[in-house]
Amino acid sequence: MLLSSALPHLDRPFDYLVPASMEHTAEPGRLVRVPFAGTDAEGYVLERLAGTDHTGRMARLRRVVSGLPVLPGATLELCRRVAAEYGGTLSDVVRLAVPGRHAGAEEQVLTAEPVRHDPVALDLRAGPDLLGWQRHQAGPAFLAHVRDGHSPRAVATFAPGSDPFALLALAARATLASGRTALLVVPDHRDLDRLAAALDRVVPEGHVRLEADLGPAARYRSFLQALTGRARIVAGTRAAVFAPLPNLGLVAVLEDGDDSHAEQRAPYPHVREVAVLRAEQAGAAALFAGWTRTAETQLLLESGWARPVLATRDTVRATAPRIAIAGTSGPDAQDPLAAAARLPSDGWRVLREAVRRGPVLVQVPRTGYVPTLACQTCREPARCTSCHGPLAVPGAGERATCRWCGRPATDWTCGHCGDGRFRAVVTGARRTAEELGRAFPGVDVRTSGGSHVLDVVPGGPSLVIATPGAEPVALQGYAAALLLDGWALLARPDLRAAEEAHRRWTAAAALVQPASAGGAVVLVADPQAAPAQALVRWDPAGFAERELAQRRELDLPPAARFAGLIGSAADVEEFVTALPALPGMRVLGPLPVPDRPGHAPAVRSVVRVPREHSGELAAAVKTVTAGRSVRKLPLVRVRVDPLQIG
C-alpha cells in the first residue's frame, strides 16, 4: 500500500496483512487506515498479493475507509508518471489527484439512481452549428477526427472575436459523439463559469464542474461522478486535470500560458505537462487552445507531437481590430517626448472618438492606487525602514505605507541619496480610473481587478479600467482598447516576460470589435519590442516560433530543463554537491531570495541540463531529497521547470 506521507524517504510501497473481514473490500484503489510508527495513518491499497518478501512481523489493515476504489489503476499510473517527470513523491501527486473524502457526498453518489446517457450526434457541415471552428484551418477536420473516434493532437490559435468557450464545448460534444468522455481545463473560476454556460447550450446534460473552490463535499461529489461514469464531461481548473474519467477521448487546456495552470503544491506540476502525459497514456485526443501560443506548445508542434489549427490571414483581417502603437503615427511620430507620455495624443484621440460609440477598455498592469514608489531624485525603490518592504500609496490622500508590515512611511528618507520625496513608478488601476473620470465627466467609469472583478459590461458608452486577466466581456464588443504602461509587463525580471506581455495584450485586443466596425487598439509600449510588433501584425504563430528559437539559442526552457533549489546557503550547497554529474549539467547561482516577512534568509540555485537528460535530472533531485529526509536534514524546496527563474 501507499502511505499518505509528506516524508520523501517513505515514498515506497508497504506490505500489510488483510484481515478476513476485509477480504472483499480492501481492493486496489481503496482508501484505508493502517498502523504506522505508533499511530494510525491513511493510505491506498496498490495491489493484492498472495505472499510478501518481508521477513519481519507484519501489521494488519485497521479499516477500509472509502466505499469504492478512488485511486483507479489509470490514475495511479498517471501519478507515477507525473512524480517521475517532476522529481516528486507519488504520495504528493496522489494528494493532488484525489480530493479529501467526504462521507456524505460519497453516500449520495453510491445510492443515486443509475444514469442513462442519450446518444449525442454532431453534424459538421459548414454553418452556424460549428460555432466558429470553420474559420480556422484544420478546425473542422480536427472535430471530425475526434467525432469518428480518432485521437488527433492540436494547438489551436483562435481568431479575434471567437468565443473560446463555445469552441471547447463543441469539441467536447464531438468527443461524446464518439462514445468517449472529455476533460476541459481552464485557468480560473471566471473562465469556468463561461465554459459551464457554453456547455449548457451545446451539451445540456452529463457535465460537472471540478475545482478546489467548490468546497469539500461538492468537489468530492464531482470527483465520484466522474469516477463512476455519471459525468461524461468534466470542466474545471487545474484540480480537474487528474479527474478519473473512464474511456477518456479528449484532454483540452485553455490558455496554457496562464500562471494559474501551475500547481502551488509539491511537486508543482503544470497542467499542460500533465495533459500531455495523460493524452499519451489514455490514447486520447489533445487540444491546447488560446489566443496565442507558448514556447512549450510551439515545441509540441515542431516535434510533430501536435498539429496547428489557426485562422487564415483573410479571417484575421476580417475579424481583428485596427492596432497601433502610441506615438508612432501623426504629429506624435515627430515628437521625441510623445513616446514618454503615459498616453500620447493619438491614444487620446482614439479614446475620445470610441467612447461615444460604446465601452472602451483600458488595461493597466497593476491594481491599487500607486502600488510602487521610488526616490524622486535617484529613482531607487522606496523601502520601509523597519522591514525593508516596498512602499506604496494605498489610496487618494493617504500616506505612503509599507506593503509588507503596514507601517506608515513617516519621516522617510532615501538610504541612497538622502532625499525624502517620492515619485510614482507605476500608476495603478484606481488612480487611472480617477484621472480618466476627471477627463471624461459624465461617462461611467468601472474598474475590474483584484478582489472586484466584473464579468460583463453593457454596450453603452463607458470606460472600463481593468488589470490583465480581469477584463470583463462587453456584450457587443469594445469600441476600442488602450493598453497602458506596456513597459511594466515587458520589464518584468522573468524568462516569460515577453511571452506573457504578448498573451495579455492579445487577449484584451480580442475583445474589441473588428476594424470594419471601427474597433481600434492603442498599445503604449516600445514599438521595437517583438511582442508589440507581433500584436500589430496579429501573428501569434510567428512570435512563438521566434521565442522558441531564442530560448534554444540560450539553452532556456523548454529547450533545456531547469530545477530550482531554494533553502539556506549551506543546505543548497550540500544539495548541489550531492547531485551526480549529469551530461551538460550547469549550476547557476546561488543568489539571494528577496526577503520575506517571517522567513529565514534563503538563496536560490538553478540546475540546468539539456532537454534529453530531463528524466535523469528529475530522478537525481528526487534521490538527493529522499537522502536528506532519511538523515533528517533540512529539506531544500525543489521545483522542476519553475515559472519564474529569477
Side-chain angles (χ1 to χ4, degrees), residues 225-598:
Q225 287 175 321
L227 176 67
T228 58
R230 286 175 167 80
R232 293 187 292 174
I233 299 174
V234 170
T237 54
R238 65 172 183 254
V241 73
F242 292 96
L245 282 165
N247 193 24
L248 184 64
L250 172 68
V251 183
V253 178
L254 182 66
E255 294 291 351
D256 69 288
D258 195 295
D259 289 355
S260 300
H261 284 309
E263 178 58 56
Q264 299 304 306
R265 294 176 292 169
Y268 314 105
H270 194 285
V271 163
R272 176 185 53 246
E273 308 308 321
V274 179
V276 167
L277 292 173
R278 186 146 195 204
E280 291 176 342
Q281 176 198 12
L287 174 63
F288 296 97
W291 302 115
T292 60
R293 289 181 195 164
T294 59
E296 286 79 6
T297 53
Q298 181 63 30
L299 181 62
L300 293 178
L301 291 173
E302 294 186 11
S303 68
W305 192 91
R307 299 206 172 185
V309 172
L310 71 168
T312 64
R313 292 310 302 173
D314 287 343
T315 297
V316 169
R317 281 190 287 270
T319 56
R322 178 174 58 86
I323 302 174
I325 299 178
T328 59
S329 62
D332 287 343
Q334 310 301 321
D335 183 359
L337 296 179
R342 189 170 186 230
L343 181 57
S345 59
D346 51 357
W348 281 108
R349 285 194 297 273
V350 169
L351 180 57
R352 289 193 198 96
E353 191 278 329
V355 78
R356 301 191 192 109
R357 296 187 290 108
V360 174
L361 174 65
V362 182
Q363 186 191 75
V364 182
R366 302 284 181 87
T367 57
Y369 194 74
V370 181
T372 308
L373 293 172
C375 172
Q376 175 69 36
T377 301
C378 68
R379 306 303 198 255
E380 280 291 307
R383 294 280 178 181
C384 174
T385 55
S386 175
C387 73
H388 306 292
L391 298 182
V393 177
E398 298 186 36
R399 288 178 177 272
T401 58
C402 176
R403 284 163 48 191
W404 286 0
C405 68
R407 288 175 179 265
T410 54
D411 301 324
W412 176 88
T413 57
C414 176
H416 189 260
C417 71
D419 195 350
R421 296 171 298 165
F422 296 115
R423 72 183 298 270
V425 177
V426 176
T427 302
R430 282 196 291 129
R431 174 68 177 270
T432 303
E434 182 181 285
E435 293 173 350
L436 291 177
R438 288 197 297 264
F440 292 91
V443 176
D444 287 342
V445 180
R446 298 178 171 89
T447 59
S448 180
S451 59
H452 178 67
V453 177
L454 302 176
D455 290 325
V456 179
V457 293
S462 65
L463 295 172
V464 181
I465 319 301
T467 53
E471 301 93 347
V473 173
L475 294 177
Q476 284 84 40
Y478 287 100
L482 304 181
L483 312 179
L484 299 182
D485 302 333
W487 62 268
L489 287 176
L490 292 173
R492 291 171 56 197
D494 188 337
L495 165 68
R496 295 172 172 80
E499 181 179 273
E500 179 68 358
H502 181 239
R503 188 178 73 83
R504 294 296 196 183
W505 294 339
T506 306
L511 301 176
V512 179
Q513 298 167 358
S516 59
V521 174
V522 177
L523 169 65
V524 184
D526 177 4
Q528 302 304 316
Q533 295 177 3
L535 178 67
V536 171
R537 298 192 306 270
W538 203 280
D539 184 21
F543 177 79
E545 292 169 5
R546 177 184 182 278
E547 185 75 8
L548 179 58
Q550 286 187 337
R551 295 196 200 174
R552 275 202 182 103
E553 186 177 343
L554 298 173
D555 286 332
L556 294 174
R561 199 84 190 275
F562 279 29
L565 313 174
I566 296 180
S568 70
D571 292 332
V572 170
E573 183 180 1
E574 288 178 8
F575 194 105
V576 170
T577 302
L579 289 172
L582 301 176
M585 186 174 83
R586 184 179 176 189
V587 179
L588 311 176
L591 291 175
V593 173
D595 293 338
R596 294 175 298 166

Side-chain angles (χ1 to χ4, degrees), residues 133 135-143 153-159 287-290 293 301 306-312:
W133 277 106
R135 299 193 301 172
H136 300 82
Q137 287 180 332
F142 174 81
L143 292 182
R153 300 165 179 168
V155 175
T157 309
F158 290 146
L287 174 63
F288 296 97
R293 289 181 195 164
L301 291 173
R307 299 206 172 185
V309 172
L310 71 168
T312 64

